[in-house]
Amino acid sequence: MTVRIYRDKEFELLEGVYDPGDDSFLLVEAALKDIRAGEKVLEVGTGSGVVSFFVKDVTRVIATDINPIACQNARLNGVEVVRTDLFSGICGQFDVIIFNPPYLPTSEDEKLDTWLNRAFDGGPDGRDVIRQFLAGVKRILPIGGRVLTVFSSLTDIDAVAELYRQHGFSVETVAREKVPFEVLVVFKCVRLS
Ligand SMILES: C[S@@+](CC[C@H](N)C(=O)[O-])C[C@H]1O[C@@H](n2cnc3c(N)ncnc32)[C@H](O)[C@@H]1O
């Protein structure tokens, strides 16, 4: 187990779980700017639980992950987590869904044979998990609800925006950061229809 520090707060990181990076922290900051006390929040794919770890100081958060070690890690960090595929084990409606998806274009020979593969493998174009997410998310997100989500330029930002629009969401860029080899972007997507 390793200890990480962000915003002067320590949180735990287990081996086999996504090590929070620039994308995680960009999403933490965007979420803290956007989310208000009393809102119902779901984080999909919580990993170590880092984003929920900070957002739960503002309002209650339920989180999910498919990786059992990530679920154990998030619980260590005090995050309420359900092990499930995306949100399939989740009932009810949320005001906000937070998601740092696996978004890297990944070929067969780049895949790992461990749970960590789930942290980055977005399929051939990086957008497979985003498509699965959008195909079902309206069950738990009413009209007016919003998704805060982070992507890389490697995923094709315009193509991701177009997917959200095709599913009836507005798309606003609320954070952007240039890091070596890519640009990271946080979208706030509001369900319109
Ligand atoms: C890029 S990591 C982000 C982790 C954490 N939210 C962060 O920002 O540091 C993506 C996370 O999504 C999880 N994940 C991938 N596919 C999933 C699925 N179908 N259902 C639930 N979680 C999934 C992975 O196990 C991983 O923990």
Side-chain angles (χ1 to χ4, degrees):
M1 181 161 40
T2 314
V3 172
R4 291 269 182 272
I5 301 176
Y6 185 66
R7 282 181 162 247
D8 293 330
K9 281 183 73 174
E10 290 187 354
F11 61 96
E12 317 279 0
L13 178 69
L14 295 182
E15 213 172 296
V17 176
Y18 182 71
D19 190 350
D22 294 323
D23 52 354
S24 316
F25 300 122
L26 199 62
L27 190 55
V28 169
E29 295 306 320
L32 291 178
K33 267 191 202 146
D34 189 76
I35 293 170
R36 297 288 164 254
E39 289 193 302
K40 287 185 72 181
V41 178
L42 176 74
E43 186 192 5
V44 175
T46 194
S48 62
V50 60
V51 183
S52 295
F53 177 71
F54 288 96
V55 174
K56 72 183 176 58
D57 288 344
V58 177
T59 196
R60 184 177 176 196
V61 186
I62 306 291
T64 74
D65 207 289
I66 200 161
N67 173 354
I69 316 166
C71 292
Q72 188 191 348
N73 195 157
R75 277 185 206 111
L76 269 177
N77 287 318
V79 172
E80 291 181 70
V81 61
V82 178
R83 183 177 177 222
T84 193
D85 187 357
L86 294 178
F87 34 68
S88 58
I90 298 293
C91 299
Q93 302 265 290
F94 294 85
D95 300 303
V96 187
I97 298 178
I98 304 169
F99 193 22
N100 178 0
Y103 55 65
L104 291 182
T106 306
S107 62
E108 283 305 314
D109 57 349
E110 288 170 322
K111 289 180 190 289
L112 299 179
D113 194 17
T114 67
W115 282 112
L116 204 50
N117 188 71
R118 293 288 196 146
F120 63 84
D121 183 354
D125 66 5
R127 299 190 291 278
D128 277 3
V129 180
I130 297 158
R131 286 189 198 90
Q132 288 164 27
F133 173 85
L134 283 169
V137 74
K138 289 182 177 179
R139 177 177 66 78
I140 55 164
L141 189 75
I143 289 176
R146 57 201 194 277
V147 179
L148 292 171
T149 187
V150 60
F151 300 97
S152 158
S153 48
L154 301 173
T155 319
D156 189 341
I157 303 289
D158 290 341
V160 174
E162 189 49 32
L163 277 177
Y164 271 88
R165 288 193 191 100
Q166 282 169 4
H167 281 83
F169 287 81
S170 64
V171 177
E172 182 190 355
T173 300
V174 292
R176 190 181 167 87
E177 185 178 348
K178 201 171 178 334
V179 296
F181 310 113
E182 59 185 328
V183 176
L184 299 171
V185 169
V186 178
F187 282 168
K188 174 166 146 177
C189 304
V190 178
R191 182 179 167 194
L192 302 178
S193 61

